[in-house]
Amino acid sequence: MPAYAALPAATIAASTASVVDRLLDALHDGHPLSPGDLAALREFGETRARQDISLADIQNGWRIAVREILAELTEAAAASGVADRTLLQLITALLDLVDAAVVPYSGGHRDVEIAAARHDEQFRAEFTRAVLLGTLGPGDLRIRAQQLGVDPEAEYRAYRAGTENAPDSTAPLPASGFVTTVDGDVAGFVEKSRSPGVGGVVGVGPPTRLEDLARSFRLAGRVLTTARLFGRTGTIDLDSVGVLPAIAADTDLGAELVRRYLASLGGGESARTIIDTVEAYLDTGLRIEATAERLVVHPNTVRYRLSRFEEITGADLRAAHTALRVWWAIQYRKTQHAGERRPPRG
């Protein structure tokens, strides 16, 4: 069998002979497997797992062994003149013992596999956290990447998501998964062409080489913060939020722009209608007709609302620098009035 070919014959025989002898002793004496037998069988399964022999290959090996033993029994019974009834009883007892042996050696093999998977998961998680936080030097980064099959020359995208996206901690991560937790958030990285594969709100950083993933992760965190602040959902990248991360980060500037351009409008429905109209006007490239079409109102209504805004605030929306400040103020105001988020109405 290919799985056993890498092991010395003496290594295979040593553990195999021990459990076969125990089975034959139980068969000879007519008693079930003892606690010592069960412990030895469990150790046998653990040993095979550490030797990288799969459970399927172990079972195939056992089937070969059982066939050999049955052939030996049949030949010996014929040579000794043993009655068929006695031989049948002996074979039935042997098969019962083999069935009883399956449980302990399978359990031992499975426990080693689970422990190995958890160790691998922990190693991957520690590597992922170190890469995202930038705590590995270039040499260590390449060594660990090679150990985990990560191409240091490829480009990857870091991501950050809320704890509601955390995977089941009892299940090993998939072989291609590089996921951990950072400050309570789910964090990881994927090849630039792949999706993070987690639900909820996910901030994704720009693609970059492995050694620069810490920068991508910092930007992913800013994107996530921005998405939460502005009520965005799904997987969000920098292209999706534009300069909104700057608005989310510079709260003092945002508050000052709101005071300068929006506070004088008041807080009632009339003020919200004017602000919605100004935002639509800026979004459509300062085009009256396009704004009216979006809001489903007459162009003269748009002109009136814009003139009221400029009259009250003293702002000239046709000046690019002023239009930018007004737009900034409107976006920041949304973070302070989450309950008022709604599509513009006519």
Side-chain angles (χ1 to χ4, degrees), residues 57-77:
D57 285 328
I58 295 174
Q59 291 169 337
N60 286 336
W62 273 68
R63 280 191 284 270
I64 293 172
V66 170
R67 285 198 298 269
E68 291 293 325
I69 294 173
L70 290 177
E72 293 269 356
L73 283 175
T74 303
E75 183 179 343

Side-chain angles (χ1 to χ4, degrees), residues 255-296:
E256 176 57 26
L257 291 176
V258 168
R259 185 198 66 77
R260 167 65 181 84
Y261 292 105
L262 303 181
S264 58
L265 297 172
E269 181 65 23
S270 176
R272 287 195 292 272
T273 299
I274 291 176
I275 292 172
D276 288 344
T277 302
V278 171
E279 182 180 17
Y281 178 62
L282 296 175
D283 285 347
T284 57
L286 311 185
R287 293 181 297 163
I288 296 290
E289 298 292 339
T291 303
E293 183 177 347
R294 174 181 293 191
L295 299 179
V296 196

Side-chain angles (χ1 to χ4, degrees), residues 47-286:
T47 299
R48 287 291 183 259
R50 295 189 185 99
Q51 293 168 338
D52 291 329
I53 306 297
S54 71
L55 190 56
D57 285 328
I58 295 174
Q59 291 169 337
N60 286 336
W62 273 68
R63 280 191 284 270
I64 293 172
V66 170
R67 285 198 298 269
E68 291 293 325
I69 294 173
L70 290 177
E72 293 269 356
L73 283 175
T74 303
E75 183 179 343
S80 303
V82 174
D84 290 345
R85 180 182 179 85
T86 302
L87 177 61
L88 180 59
Q89 290 174 340
L90 196 60
I91 291 174
T92 300
L94 173 63
L95 294 178
D96 287 343
L97 288 170
V98 170
D99 286 343
V102 170
V103 175
Y105 80 64
S106 297
H109 190 281
R110 182 178 60 252
D111 287 349
V112 170
E113 282 189 320
I114 291 174
R118 287 177 176 170
H119 178 270
D120 180 63
E121 178 183 349
Q122 182 179 357
F123 184 72
R124 295 169 76 89
E126 290 173 352
F127 171 76
T128 302
R129 187 177 296 107
V131 169
L132 296 179
L133 298 180
T135 58
L136 283 178
D140 285 341
L141 180 64
R142 285 187 169 269
I143 291 172
R144 296 194 190 184
Q146 290 173 356
Q147 291 173 332
L148 291 168
V150 179
D151 182 2
E153 305 301 326
E155 288 194 332
Y156 304 89
R157 294 163 65 91
Y159 65 86
R160 187 163 185 162
T163 52
E164 67 275 9
N165 305 292
D168 181 1
S169 60
T170 64
L173 293 173
S176 60
F178 288 90
V179 186
T180 185
T181 57
V182 174
D183 296 333
D185 286 338
V186 177
F189 66 89
V190 293
E191 295 177 6
K192 70 174 185 178
S193 60
R194 295 184 56 195
S195 167
V198 293
V201 185
V202 187
V204 181
T208 184
R209 294 274 292 274
L210 200 62
E211 65 268 19
D212 199 30
L213 263 179
R215 180 179 63 85
S216 180
F217 181 62
R218 289 193 298 271
L219 289 171
R222 294 188 64 179
V223 171
L224 176 62
T225 298
T226 302
R228 286 168 168 166
L229 197 59
F230 286 91
R232 301 288 184 89
T233 58
T235 300
I236 312 296
D237 59 15
L238 281 173
D239 289 340
S240 303
V241 294
V243 299
L244 292 182
I247 296 174
D250 200 338
T251 57
D252 288 338
L253 176 59
E256 176 57 26
L257 291 176
V258 168
R259 185 198 66 77
R260 167 65 181 84
Y261 292 105
L262 303 181
S264 58
L265 297 172
E269 181 65 23
S270 176
R272 287 195 292 272
T273 299
I274 291 176
I275 292 172
D276 288 344
T277 302
V278 171
E279 182 180 17
Y281 178 62
L282 296 175
D283 285 347
T284 57
L286 311 185

